[in-house]
Amino acid sequence: QMCIRDRLHLFQKDQQFVRYETAVGESSTIYLPDNSKVLLNTDSVLLVRYTDEYRLLDLQRGELHVEVAHDKARPLSVVANHKVIQAVGTAFSVQVKASEVELIVTHGKVIIGQLNEEQEVNENALVIPQSSLAVSKGEIASLATANTGVDSVSIIDNKLIKQNLSWRQGNLVFNGETLAEAMKEVSRYTSCLLYTSPSPRDLSTSR
């Protein structure tokens, strides 16, 4: 069972980033002053800057899901590995992986921008052309972290969305993954070493 905490932070105008961090096996709920709701998953680090002009979340490690309060004049931006994911009023999840950023949109639409390697994460990086790559409800995107990589978008089944985001209810759901894949995912939520015998490579979580 994961540890779940709720946090309400009172932001001051022109303040620097506020840091949030979850330990292994812990999740946290963060409420922004506009009632946007951020769920931070296990072993994650998030920097938040909230002003009268913009809403900026810098996901440095881990995974989050955000329900964005509608504000057309002040989009909410999530930065992860030099990708900028921007929304006006929607809901989506972002996970930082070794070679990609995984994005799942559960409501509305987001647009994707790109930061230069030397570009700082601040309000100047948040201007994204409306002609940029868009990802809509029911779609999953693999956003390449290397300049030579290619971003891809595909449709994801609603059942798979619920499975991938089951951590929001403190659960992990598997359906057809090999035992090795399941153990790799479980290891994100515990500091205990997991062993199995015989080799789990060809065993499946299917019943």
Side-chain angles (χ1 to χ4, degrees):
Q1 184 71 31
M2 290 185 286
C3 175
I4 301 175
R5 294 185 293 174
D6 287 351
R7 299 176 180 175
L8 174 61
H9 193 95
L10 300 179
F11 287 79
Q12 302 296 322
K13 186 177 180 180
D14 298 327
Q15 72 179 93
Q16 296 301 309
F17 285 97
V18 177
R19 178 186 173 94
Y20 296 93
E21 184 171 1
T22 54
V24 173
E26 177 186 46
S27 66
S28 180
T29 304
I30 304 161
Y31 293 92
L32 302 183
D34 63 357
N35 290 322
S36 292
K37 180 181 178 181
V38 182
L39 301 179
L40 196 60
N41 201 6
T42 177
D43 193 23
S44 299
V45 175
L46 176 68
L47 304 181
V48 177
R49 190 171 187 189
Y50 185 101
T51 74
D52 292 339
E53 289 75 38
Y54 60 90
R55 301 173 287 176
L56 175 57
L57 282 61
D58 181 6
L59 182 61
Q60 299 194 324
R61 185 179 76 228
E63 183 175 15
L64 63 76
H65 183 271
V66 56
E67 298 174 9
V68 183
H70 186 85
D71 189 342
K72 190 173 182 179
R74 187 178 51 166
L76 183 144
S77 300
V78 175
V79 176
N81 275 356
H82 296 94
K83 294 293 184 180
V84 183
I85 302 158
Q86 194 169 93
V88 171
T90 184
F92 58 94
S93 70
V94 180
Q95 183 180 359
V96 177
K97 296 186 174 182
S99 59
E100 66 174 358
V101 173
E102 182 181 272
L103 165 68
I104 298 176
V105 179
T106 54
H107 180 75
K109 181 179 74 172
V110 303
I111 56 175
I112 310 299
Q114 175 75 51
L115 297 181
N116 298 324
E117 289 292 335
E118 301 80 14
Q119 197 168 359
E120 293 184 5
V121 179
N122 55 36
E123 63 273 22
N124 297 322
L126 304 183
V127 180
I128 302 177
Q130 290 301 309
S131 58
S132 299
L133 175 67
V135 185
S136 301
K137 177 182 177 181
E139 293 182 332
I140 182 172
S142 173
L143 308 178
T145 57
N147 291 332
T148 56
V150 177
D151 299 336
S152 64
V153 180
S154 58
I155 296 174
I156 181 172
D157 183 83
N158 188 55
K159 183 181 295 185
L160 288 177
I161 292 178
K162 291 181 178 179
Q163 177 179 328
N164 287 359
L165 301 183
S166 60
W167 62 266
R168 295 179 299 172
Q169 289 80 41
N171 302 316
L172 293 177
V173 177
F174 301 103
N175 183 24
E177 293 84 353
T178 66
L179 189 54
E181 291 170 337
M183 290 179 64
K184 181 179 179 181
E185 178 66 11
V186 170
S187 68
R188 295 175 57 207
Y189 298 86
T190 178
S191 56
C192 298
L193 296 177
L194 303 176
Y195 297 94
T196 184
S197 181
S199 172
R201 181 175 303 172
D202 299 322
L203 297 179
S204 171
T205 57
S206 297
R207 293 183 177 179

